[in-house]
Amino acid sequence: MTDVDTRWSARLRLALADRSVGHRTADVVLDEVAQHCAATGETPEEAFGPAEEYAAVVVKERIPPEERVGSTGTHAEHLGAALMGTGCLVLLAGPVLWVTRGAMLPVTSAGLVGGVLVGLVTTGGNVTFTLAGSRVRAAVGWGITTAVLTVLAAVAFTTLPATDLGRIPALAVSALGIPLLYWGVKHGSDSAADTAKAARAGTGTDAGTGTGTEGWLRELTRLLKEEHGIRAARAAELTAEAAEHLRATGARPEEEFGPVGQYAVRLADEDATPHERWWLRDGVRSAALGLLVTVGLTWSAFSAGLPVWQITVGCAAIAVEVAILVSSLVSHWRSASSRA
């Protein structure tokens, strides 16, 4: 297997994991791909197409519709994942501060307020990222909130008094990560989250989208667009067809089509390949993350007054990361144009 084939297989495994496909099923799929390519001499890309698109095909063919309802997680689960991520970062922050700033840290009004806001920014950023693949409106709301908190944190660090209020052990910062992890686990496994997921599957109470036919239709549109990646115009068309059918028959949507989540899955399976959001592609995400990290490190080097050659290396690395990101975007748009 060549390096290109290995990277394709790795992208497929990641894409399957993103779609909540278990590792055993993923192993079977990858074994089948390897056997097919060995028998035909084709590459995985030639035989099965882009890894992300083939992952969507695998999910449609091998995962029952009822198991795919609500697979993107509830708001509580997204928040729990974000809190756990923030907790892990806070746990690591203590030892890092100990090494870089010493065993005892000075406490100032600016540092205290700014630090709390940075923690909120981290949590908001995590929630925005986890929601971006399934609930675009909620992700936009969280993203705007995170941006506002970022500005407030910068204002706090630069304008509030820097008077020394005392000192705390650096490792005490890590202790704050423990309740964050606990709250994250609690939110992620809360019975309310299970109730909400059951409601989305049509086995519990209403999922907060409104009662009656209008609420069912609104939820159908949202599910098609945000959870199944169908374009807004096509989602509106499918919803209009369902509404027209209900008006003609006078039936209730649950009686005619079943639970809204399962019906959305069936429509998505019958429709064309869902539109993949460009910012969720593995190459784009990796390049964007690398760019952010590189910019952060270069800015830190500039702020710390490090030698010019180190800052120059950082700027060169930024240029490379920008080139990789642009290349990933161009590759995606060319692929989308060729399929259109």
Short mmCIF file of all heavy atoms in Angstrom, two decimals, residues 110-182:
data_model
loop_
_atom_site.label_atom_id
_atom_site.label_comp_id
_atom_site.label_asym_id
_atom_site.label_seq_id
_atom_site.Cartn_x
_atom_site.Cartn_y
_atom_site.Cartn_z
N ALA A 110 -6.67 42.31 36.73
CA ALA A 110 -6.63 42.07 35.29
C ALA A 110 -6.47 40.59 34.99
O ALA A 110 -7.17 40.02 34.14
CB ALA A 110 -5.50 42.87 34.66
N GLY A 111 -5.53 39.94 35.68
CA GLY A 111 -5.29 38.53 35.42
C GLY A 111 -6.45 37.66 35.85
O GLY A 111 -6.79 36.67 35.18
N LEU A 112 -7.11 38.01 36.97
CA LEU A 112 -8.21 37.20 37.49
C LEU A 112 -9.41 37.25 36.54
O LEU A 112 -9.93 36.20 36.12
CB LEU A 112 -8.60 37.68 38.88
CG LEU A 112 -9.65 36.86 39.63
CD1 LEU A 112 -9.15 35.44 39.86
CD2 LEU A 112 -9.99 37.51 40.96
N VAL A 113 -9.84 38.47 36.19
CA VAL A 113 -11.00 38.60 35.30
C VAL A 113 -10.66 38.07 33.91
O VAL A 113 -11.46 37.35 33.28
CB VAL A 113 -11.45 40.07 35.23
CG1 VAL A 113 -12.59 40.24 34.23
CG2 VAL A 113 -11.88 40.56 36.60
N GLY A 114 -9.46 38.44 33.42
CA GLY A 114 -9.07 37.97 32.10
C GLY A 114 -8.97 36.46 32.03
O GLY A 114 -9.37 35.85 31.03
N GLY A 115 -8.45 35.83 33.07
CA GLY A 115 -8.32 34.38 33.09
C GLY A 115 -9.66 33.68 33.04
O GLY A 115 -9.84 32.68 32.33
N VAL A 116 -10.63 34.21 33.83
CA VAL A 116 -11.98 33.63 33.80
C VAL A 116 -12.59 33.75 32.41
O VAL A 116 -13.19 32.81 31.89
CB VAL A 116 -12.88 34.32 34.85
CG1 VAL A 116 -14.33 33.87 34.68
CG2 VAL A 116 -12.39 34.00 36.26
N LEU A 117 -12.41 34.92 31.79
CA LEU A 117 -12.96 35.12 30.45
C LEU A 117 -12.28 34.21 29.43
O LEU A 117 -12.93 33.72 28.50
CB LEU A 117 -12.80 36.58 30.04
CG LEU A 117 -13.72 37.56 30.78
CD1 LEU A 117 -13.35 39.00 30.43
CD2 LEU A 117 -15.18 37.30 30.43
N VAL A 118 -10.97 33.97 29.58
CA VAL A 118 -10.28 33.06 28.67
C VAL A 118 -10.85 31.64 28.79
O VAL A 118 -11.01 30.92 27.79
CB VAL A 118 -8.76 33.06 28.95
CG1 VAL A 118 -8.07 31.89 28.25
CG2 VAL A 118 -8.14 34.37 28.49
N GLY A 119 -11.17 31.24 30.04
CA GLY A 119 -11.80 29.94 30.23
C GLY A 119 -13.15 29.85 29.53
O GLY A 119 -13.47 28.84 28.90
N LEU A 120 -13.93 30.94 29.60
CA LEU A 120 -15.22 30.96 28.91
C LEU A 120 -15.03 30.96 27.40
O LEU A 120 -15.79 30.32 26.66
CB LEU A 120 -16.01 32.20 29.34
CG LEU A 120 -16.46 32.23 30.80
CD1 LEU A 120 -17.14 33.56 31.12
CD2 LEU A 120 -17.40 31.07 31.12
N VAL A 121 -14.00 31.68 26.93
CA VAL A 121 -13.70 31.69 25.49
C VAL A 121 -13.34 30.29 25.01
O VAL A 121 -13.79 29.84 23.94
CB VAL A 121 -12.56 32.68 25.19
CG1 VAL A 121 -12.03 32.47 23.78
CG2 VAL A 121 -13.03 34.11 25.37
N THR A 122 -12.53 29.58 25.78
CA THR A 122 -12.14 28.22 25.41
C THR A 122 -13.36 27.30 25.32
O THR A 122 -13.52 26.53 24.37
CB THR A 122 -11.14 27.66 26.43
OG1 THR A 122 -10.01 28.53 26.52
CG2 THR A 122 -10.67 26.28 26.02
N THR A 123 -14.23 27.40 26.34
CA THR A 123 -15.44 26.58 26.32
C THR A 123 -16.33 26.94 25.14
O THR A 123 -16.83 26.06 24.42
CB THR A 123 -16.22 26.76 27.63
OG1 THR A 123 -15.37 26.43 28.74
CG2 THR A 123 -17.44 25.85 27.66
N GLY A 124 -16.53 28.24 24.92
CA GLY A 124 -17.36 28.67 23.80
C GLY A 124 -16.80 28.24 22.46
O GLY A 124 -17.55 27.84 21.57
N GLY A 125 -15.48 28.32 22.31
CA GLY A 125 -14.86 27.88 21.07
C GLY A 125 -15.04 26.40 20.84
O GLY A 125 -15.31 25.96 19.71
N ASN A 126 -14.92 25.60 21.91
CA ASN A 126 -15.13 24.16 21.79
C ASN A 126 -16.56 23.84 21.39
O ASN A 126 -16.81 22.97 20.54
CB ASN A 126 -14.78 23.46 23.11
CG ASN A 126 -13.29 23.38 23.35
OD1 ASN A 126 -12.51 23.37 22.41
ND2 ASN A 126 -12.89 23.34 24.61
N VAL A 127 -17.53 24.53 22.02
CA VAL A 127 -18.92 24.28 21.68
C VAL A 127 -19.20 24.68 20.22
O VAL A 127 -19.88 23.97 19.48
CB VAL A 127 -19.86 25.07 22.62
CG1 VAL A 127 -21.31 24.90 22.19
CG2 VAL A 127 -19.70 24.59 24.06
N THR A 128 -18.65 25.82 19.81
CA THR A 128 -18.84 26.27 18.42
C THR A 128 -18.32 25.23 17.45
O THR A 128 -18.98 24.92 16.45
CB THR A 128 -18.10 27.61 18.21
OG1 THR A 128 -18.62 28.59 19.10
CG2 THR A 128 -18.29 28.09 16.78
N PHE A 129 -17.14 24.68 17.74
CA PHE A 129 -16.54 23.70 16.84
C PHE A 129 -17.37 22.43 16.77
O PHE A 129 -17.61 21.87 15.69
CB PHE A 129 -15.11 23.38 17.29
CG PHE A 129 -14.40 22.43 16.38
CD1 PHE A 129 -13.85 22.87 15.20
CD2 PHE A 129 -14.28 21.08 16.71
CE1 PHE A 129 -13.20 21.99 14.35
CE2 PHE A 129 -13.62 20.19 15.87
CZ PHE A 129 -13.08 20.66 14.69
N THR A 130 -17.84 21.94 17.93
CA THR A 130 -18.60 20.69 17.93
C THR A 130 -19.97 20.86 17.28
O THR A 130 -20.50 19.92 16.69
CB THR A 130 -18.78 20.16 19.36
OG1 THR A 130 -19.49 21.13 20.15
CG2 THR A 130 -17.44 19.87 20.01
N LEU A 131 -20.55 22.07 17.38
CA LEU A 131 -21.86 22.30 16.78
C LEU A 131 -21.80 22.59 15.30
O LEU A 131 -22.80 22.48 14.60
CB LEU A 131 -22.56 23.47 17.48
CG LEU A 131 -23.07 23.24 18.90
CD1 LEU A 131 -23.58 24.54 19.49
CD2 LEU A 131 -24.16 22.18 18.93
N ALA A 132 -20.62 22.98 14.81
CA ALA A 132 -20.50 23.43 13.42
C ALA A 132 -20.88 22.35 12.42
O ALA A 132 -21.33 22.66 11.31
CB ALA A 132 -19.07 23.91 13.14
N GLY A 133 -20.73 21.09 12.79
CA GLY A 133 -21.04 20.03 11.85
C GLY A 133 -22.49 19.63 11.79
O GLY A 133 -22.90 18.91 10.89
N SER A 134 -23.32 20.12 12.76
CA SER A 134 -24.69 19.63 12.78
C SER A 134 -25.73 20.72 13.04
O SER A 134 -26.84 20.63 12.53
CB SER A 134 -24.84 18.55 13.87
OG SER A 134 -24.45 19.05 15.13
N ARG A 135 -25.38 21.73 13.79
CA ARG A 135 -26.35 22.77 14.13
C ARG A 135 -25.75 24.13 13.85
O ARG A 135 -25.17 24.78 14.73
CB ARG A 135 -26.76 22.65 15.60
CG ARG A 135 -27.52 21.36 15.90
CD ARG A 135 -27.76 21.20 17.39
NE ARG A 135 -28.60 20.05 17.67
CZ ARG A 135 -28.15 18.80 17.76
NH1 ARG A 135 -26.88 18.56 17.57
NH2 ARG A 135 -28.98 17.81 18.02
N VAL A 136 -25.90 24.56 12.62
CA VAL A 136 -25.20 25.76 12.16
C VAL A 136 -25.67 27.00 12.90
O VAL A 136 -24.88 27.85 13.31
CB VAL A 136 -25.40 25.94 10.64
CG1 VAL A 136 -24.73 27.22 10.16
CG2 VAL A 136 -24.82 24.74 9.90
N ARG A 137 -26.99 27.14 13.09
CA ARG A 137 -27.49 28.34 13.77
C ARG A 137 -26.94 28.44 15.19
O ARG A 137 -26.51 29.51 15.63
CB ARG A 137 -29.01 28.32 13.80
CG ARG A 137 -29.67 28.55 12.43
CD ARG A 137 -31.17 28.60 12.58
NE ARG A 137 -31.82 28.79 11.29
CZ ARG A 137 -33.14 28.85 11.12
NH1 ARG A 137 -33.93 28.73 12.16
NH2 ARG A 137 -33.64 29.03 9.92
N ALA A 138 -26.99 27.34 15.90
CA ALA A 138 -26.47 27.35 17.27
C ALA A 138 -24.97 27.63 17.27
O ALA A 138 -24.45 28.35 18.14
CB ALA A 138 -26.76 26.01 17.95
N ALA A 139 -24.26 27.07 16.28
CA ALA A 139 -22.81 27.31 16.20
C ALA A 139 -22.51 28.79 15.95
O ALA A 139 -21.58 29.35 16.53
CB ALA A 139 -22.20 26.45 15.09
N VAL A 140 -23.32 29.43 15.09
CA VAL A 140 -23.12 30.86 14.83
C VAL A 140 -23.35 31.67 16.10
O VAL A 140 -22.58 32.58 16.43
CB VAL A 140 -24.07 31.33 13.70
CG1 VAL A 140 -24.04 32.85 13.60
CG2 VAL A 140 -23.67 30.70 12.38
N GLY A 141 -24.39 31.32 16.85
CA GLY A 141 -24.66 32.02 18.10
C GLY A 141 -23.53 31.88 19.10
O GLY A 141 -23.08 32.86 19.71
N TRP A 142 -23.05 30.66 19.26
CA TRP A 142 -21.91 30.43 20.16
C TRP A 142 -20.66 31.12 19.64
O TRP A 142 -19.85 31.65 20.42
CB TRP A 142 -21.66 28.93 20.31
CG TRP A 142 -22.52 28.29 21.36
CD1 TRP A 142 -23.69 27.64 21.17
CD2 TRP A 142 -22.26 28.24 22.76
NE1 TRP A 142 -24.19 27.19 22.36
CE2 TRP A 142 -23.33 27.53 23.36
CE3 TRP A 142 -21.24 28.70 23.58
CZ2 TRP A 142 -23.41 27.30 24.73
CZ3 TRP A 142 -21.30 28.46 24.95
CH2 TRP A 142 -22.38 27.77 25.51
N GLY A 143 -20.47 31.13 18.33
CA GLY A 143 -19.29 31.79 17.77
C GLY A 143 -19.29 33.28 18.03
O GLY A 143 -18.26 33.87 18.39
N ILE A 144 -20.47 33.92 17.88
CA ILE A 144 -20.57 35.36 18.16
C ILE A 144 -20.30 35.63 19.63
O ILE A 144 -19.57 36.57 20.00
CB ILE A 144 -21.95 35.89 17.75
CG1 ILE A 144 -22.11 35.81 16.22
CG2 ILE A 144 -22.16 37.32 18.23
CD1 ILE A 144 -23.50 36.15 15.74
N THR A 145 -20.88 34.79 20.50
CA THR A 145 -20.65 34.96 21.93
C THR A 145 -19.18 34.81 22.27
O THR A 145 -18.61 35.56 23.08
CB THR A 145 -21.47 33.93 22.72
OG1 THR A 145 -22.86 34.09 22.40
CG2 THR A 145 -21.27 34.10 24.22
N THR A 146 -18.52 33.82 21.66
CA THR A 146 -17.09 33.60 21.91
C THR A 146 -16.27 34.80 21.45
O THR A 146 -15.32 35.21 22.13
CB THR A 146 -16.63 32.33 21.18
OG1 THR A 146 -17.40 31.21 21.64
CG2 THR A 146 -15.15 32.06 21.44
N ALA A 147 -16.63 35.37 20.30
CA ALA A 147 -15.90 36.55 19.81
C ALA A 147 -16.04 37.73 20.77
O ALA A 147 -15.07 38.44 21.05
CB ALA A 147 -16.41 36.92 18.42
N VAL A 148 -17.25 37.93 21.29
CA VAL A 148 -17.47 39.02 22.25
C VAL A 148 -16.65 38.78 23.52
O VAL A 148 -16.02 39.71 24.05
CB VAL A 148 -18.98 39.14 22.58
CG1 VAL A 148 -19.20 40.13 23.73
CG2 VAL A 148 -19.76 39.57 21.35
N LEU A 149 -16.66 37.54 24.01
CA LEU A 149 -15.88 37.23 25.21
C LEU A 149 -14.39 37.42 24.97
O LEU A 149 -13.65 37.83 25.88
CB LEU A 149 -16.17 35.79 25.64
CG LEU A 149 -17.56 35.52 26.21
CD1 LEU A 149 -17.76 34.02 26.43
CD2 LEU A 149 -17.76 36.26 27.53
N THR A 150 -13.94 37.13 23.76
CA THR A 150 -12.52 37.33 23.43
C THR A 150 -12.15 38.81 23.53
O THR A 150 -11.10 39.18 24.08
CB THR A 150 -12.22 36.81 22.01
OG1 THR A 150 -12.56 35.42 21.93
CG2 THR A 150 -10.76 36.99 21.66
N VAL A 151 -13.01 39.66 23.01
CA VAL A 151 -12.77 41.10 23.10
C VAL A 151 -12.77 41.56 24.55
O VAL A 151 -11.90 42.34 24.98
CB VAL A 151 -13.83 41.87 22.29
CG1 VAL A 151 -13.69 43.37 22.51
CG2 VAL A 151 -13.72 41.53 20.81
N LEU A 152 -13.72 41.07 25.34
CA LEU A 152 -13.78 41.44 26.75
C LEU A 152 -12.53 40.97 27.51
O LEU A 152 -12.03 41.69 28.39
CB LEU A 152 -15.03 40.85 27.39
CG LEU A 152 -16.37 41.41 26.91
CD1 LEU A 152 -17.53 40.67 27.58
CD2 LEU A 152 -16.46 42.90 27.22
N ALA A 153 -12.03 39.77 27.17
CA ALA A 153 -10.81 39.28 27.81
C ALA A 153 -9.63 40.18 27.50
O ALA A 153 -8.82 40.51 28.37
CB ALA A 153 -10.53 37.85 27.37
N ALA A 154 -9.51 40.60 26.23
CA ALA A 154 -8.42 41.50 25.85
C ALA A 154 -8.53 42.83 26.58
O ALA A 154 -7.52 43.39 27.05
CB ALA A 154 -8.44 41.72 24.34
N VAL A 155 -9.76 43.33 26.71
CA VAL A 155 -9.96 44.60 27.43
C VAL A 155 -9.59 44.43 28.89
O VAL A 155 -8.94 45.31 29.50
CB VAL A 155 -11.43 45.06 27.29
CG1 VAL A 155 -11.71 46.23 28.22
CG2 VAL A 155 -11.73 45.43 25.85
N ALA A 156 -9.97 43.29 29.49
CA ALA A 156 -9.66 43.06 30.90
C ALA A 156 -8.16 43.01 31.14
O ALA A 156 -7.65 43.61 32.09
CB ALA A 156 -10.32 41.75 31.36
N PHE A 157 -7.43 42.30 30.29
CA PHE A 157 -5.98 42.18 30.48
C PHE A 157 -5.27 43.52 30.31
O PHE A 157 -4.23 43.76 30.93
CB PHE A 157 -5.41 41.17 29.47
CG PHE A 157 -5.60 39.73 29.89
CD1 PHE A 157 -6.24 38.83 29.04
CD2 PHE A 157 -5.14 39.27 31.10
CE1 PHE A 157 -6.42 37.51 29.41
CE2 PHE A 157 -5.32 37.95 31.49
CZ PHE A 157 -5.97 37.07 30.64
N THR A 158 -5.80 44.39 29.48
CA THR A 158 -5.09 45.62 29.14
C THR A 158 -5.54 46.85 29.92
O THR A 158 -4.80 47.83 30.02
CB THR A 158 -5.22 45.92 27.64
OG1 THR A 158 -6.62 45.98 27.29
CG2 THR A 158 -4.55 44.84 26.82
N THR A 159 -6.75 46.84 30.49
CA THR A 159 -7.27 48.05 31.13
C THR A 159 -7.49 47.92 32.64
O THR A 159 -7.46 48.94 33.34
CB THR A 159 -8.60 48.47 30.48
OG1 THR A 159 -9.59 47.44 30.67
CG2 THR A 159 -8.42 48.73 28.98
N LEU A 160 -7.74 46.72 33.15
CA LEU A 160 -7.97 46.58 34.58
C LEU A 160 -6.67 46.74 35.35
O LEU A 160 -5.58 46.52 34.81
CB LEU A 160 -8.60 45.20 34.87
CG LEU A 160 -10.04 45.01 34.38
CD1 LEU A 160 -10.53 43.61 34.73
CD2 LEU A 160 -10.96 46.07 34.97
N PRO A 161 -6.77 47.10 36.63
CA PRO A 161 -5.56 47.31 37.44
C PRO A 161 -4.69 46.07 37.53
O PRO A 161 -5.19 44.94 37.61
CB PRO A 161 -6.11 47.69 38.81
CG PRO A 161 -7.50 48.18 38.55
CD PRO A 161 -7.99 47.40 37.37
N ALA A 162 -3.37 46.30 37.52
CA ALA A 162 -2.42 45.19 37.64
C ALA A 162 -1.81 45.13 39.03
O ALA A 162 -0.73 44.59 39.22
CB ALA A 162 -1.32 45.35 36.59
N THR A 163 -2.52 45.70 40.00
CA THR A 163 -2.04 45.69 41.39
C THR A 163 -2.01 44.27 41.93
O THR A 163 -2.96 43.49 41.74
CB THR A 163 -2.96 46.54 42.27
OG1 THR A 163 -3.09 47.85 41.70
CG2 THR A 163 -2.39 46.64 43.68
N ASP A 164 -0.92 43.93 42.60
CA ASP A 164 -0.75 42.58 43.15
C ASP A 164 -1.71 42.38 44.32
O ASP A 164 -1.64 43.07 45.33
CB ASP A 164 0.70 42.39 43.61
CG ASP A 164 1.03 40.92 43.85
OD1 ASP A 164 0.07 40.12 43.98
OD2 ASP A 164 2.21 40.56 43.91
N LEU A 165 -2.63 41.42 44.18
CA LEU A 165 -3.60 41.11 45.23
C LEU A 165 -3.17 39.96 46.12
O LEU A 165 -3.85 39.65 47.10
CB LEU A 165 -4.96 40.78 44.59
CG LEU A 165 -5.58 41.85 43.70
CD1 LEU A 165 -6.89 41.35 43.12
CD2 LEU A 165 -5.80 43.14 44.47
N GLY A 166 -2.09 39.33 45.79
CA GLY A 166 -1.62 38.17 46.53
C GLY A 166 -1.02 37.14 45.60
O GLY A 166 -0.80 37.42 44.41
N ARG A 167 -0.77 35.96 46.13
CA ARG A 167 -0.18 34.90 45.32
C ARG A 167 -0.88 33.58 45.60
O ARG A 167 -1.36 33.34 46.72
CB ARG A 167 1.33 34.76 45.61
CG ARG A 167 2.12 35.98 45.15
CD ARG A 167 3.62 35.84 45.39
NE ARG A 167 4.34 36.98 44.83
CZ ARG A 167 4.73 37.09 43.58
NH1 ARG A 167 4.49 36.10 42.74
NH2 ARG A 167 5.35 38.17 43.15
N ILE A 168 -0.94 32.74 44.57
CA ILE A 168 -1.53 31.40 44.70
C ILE A 168 -0.57 30.40 44.08
O ILE A 168 0.22 30.73 43.19
CB ILE A 168 -2.89 31.31 44.00
CG1 ILE A 168 -2.75 31.60 42.49
CG2 ILE A 168 -3.90 32.25 44.64
CD1 ILE A 168 -4.01 31.30 41.71
N PRO A 169 -0.61 29.15 44.56
CA PRO A 169 0.23 28.11 43.94
C PRO A 169 -0.18 27.89 42.49
O PRO A 169 -1.36 27.89 42.16
CB PRO A 169 -0.04 26.87 44.79
CG PRO A 169 -0.61 27.38 46.07
CD PRO A 169 -1.36 28.63 45.72
N ALA A 170 0.80 27.69 41.62
CA ALA A 170 0.50 27.46 40.21
C ALA A 170 -0.36 26.22 40.01
O ALA A 170 -1.25 26.19 39.15
CB ALA A 170 1.80 27.35 39.42
N LEU A 171 -0.11 25.20 40.82
CA LEU A 171 -0.88 23.96 40.66
C LEU A 171 -2.32 24.11 41.10
O LEU A 171 -3.16 23.25 40.80
CB LEU A 171 -0.21 22.83 41.44
CG LEU A 171 1.16 22.38 40.93
CD1 LEU A 171 1.71 21.23 41.77
CD2 LEU A 171 1.08 21.96 39.46
N ALA A 172 -2.63 25.21 41.83
CA ALA A 172 -4.03 25.44 42.21
C ALA A 172 -4.89 25.68 40.98
O ALA A 172 -6.09 25.40 40.98
CB ALA A 172 -4.13 26.62 43.16
N VAL A 173 -4.26 26.19 39.90
CA VAL A 173 -5.00 26.38 38.66
C VAL A 173 -5.50 25.04 38.13
O VAL A 173 -6.62 24.92 37.64
CB VAL A 173 -4.12 27.10 37.61
CG1 VAL A 173 -4.84 27.22 36.28
CG2 VAL A 173 -3.70 28.47 38.13
N SER A 174 -4.64 24.02 38.25
CA SER A 174 -5.03 22.70 37.77
C SER A 174 -6.23 22.16 38.53
O SER A 174 -7.05 21.41 37.98
CB SER A 174 -3.85 21.73 37.88
OG SER A 174 -2.80 22.11 37.03
N ALA A 175 -6.32 22.53 39.80
CA ALA A 175 -7.44 22.02 40.60
C ALA A 175 -8.78 22.48 40.04
O ALA A 175 -9.80 21.80 40.21
CB ALA A 175 -7.29 22.48 42.06
N LEU A 176 -8.79 23.64 39.37
CA LEU A 176 -10.03 24.12 38.77
C LEU A 176 -10.49 23.22 37.63
O LEU A 176 -11.67 23.23 37.28
CB LEU A 176 -9.85 25.55 38.26
CG LEU A 176 -9.50 26.61 39.31
CD1 LEU A 176 -9.22 27.94 38.64
CD2 LEU A 176 -10.65 26.75 40.31
N GLY A 177 -9.58 22.47 37.04
CA GLY A 177 -9.96 21.60 35.95
C GLY A 177 -10.79 20.41 36.39
O GLY A 177 -11.53 19.84 35.59
N ILE A 178 -10.67 20.02 37.67
CA ILE A 178 -11.39 18.84 38.17
C ILE A 178 -12.90 19.06 38.13
O ILE A 178 -13.64 18.23 37.57
CB ILE A 178 -10.90 18.47 39.58
CG1 ILE A 178 -9.42 18.10 39.52
CG2 ILE A 178 -11.73 17.33 40.16
CD1 ILE A 178 -8.80 17.82 40.88
N PRO A 179 -13.43 20.17 38.71
CA PRO A 179 -14.89 20.36 38.59
C PRO A 179 -15.36 20.54 37.16
O PRO A 179 -16.48 20.14 36.82
CB PRO A 179 -15.15 21.63 39.43
CG PRO A 179 -13.83 22.30 39.55
CD PRO A 179 -12.82 21.21 39.54
N LEU A 180 -14.52 21.13 36.30
CA LEU A 180 -14.92 21.27 34.90
C LEU A 180 -15.08 19.90 34.24
O LEU A 180 -16.04 19.67 33.49
CB LEU A 180 -13.88 22.10 34.14
CG LEU A 180 -13.85 23.60 34.46
CD1 LEU A 180 -12.68 24.26 33.73
CD2 LEU A 180 -15.16 24.25 34.07
N LEU A 181 -14.14 19.01 34.53
CA LEU A 181 -14.26 17.65 33.99
C LEU A 181 -15.51 16.96 34.54
O LEU A 181 -16.23 16.28 33.80
CB LEU A 181 -13.01 16.84 34.34
CG LEU A 181 -11.75 17.13 33.53
CD1 LEU A 181 -10.56 16.39 34.13
CD2 LEU A 181 -11.94 16.72 32.08
N TYR A 182 -15.76 17.15 35.84
CA TYR A 182 -16.93 16.52 36.46
C TYR A 182 -18.22 17.05 35.83
O TYR A 182 -19.11 16.28 35.47
CB TYR A 182 -16.93 16.79 37.96
CG TYR A 182 -18.20 16.36 38.65
CD1 TYR A 182 -18.45 15.01 38.92
CD2 TYR A 182 -19.16 17.31 39.01
CE1 TYR A 182 -19.63 14.62 39.55
CE2 TYR A 182 -20.34 16.92 39.64
CZ TYR A 182 -20.57 15.58 39.90
OH TYR A 182 -21.72 15.19 40.51
#
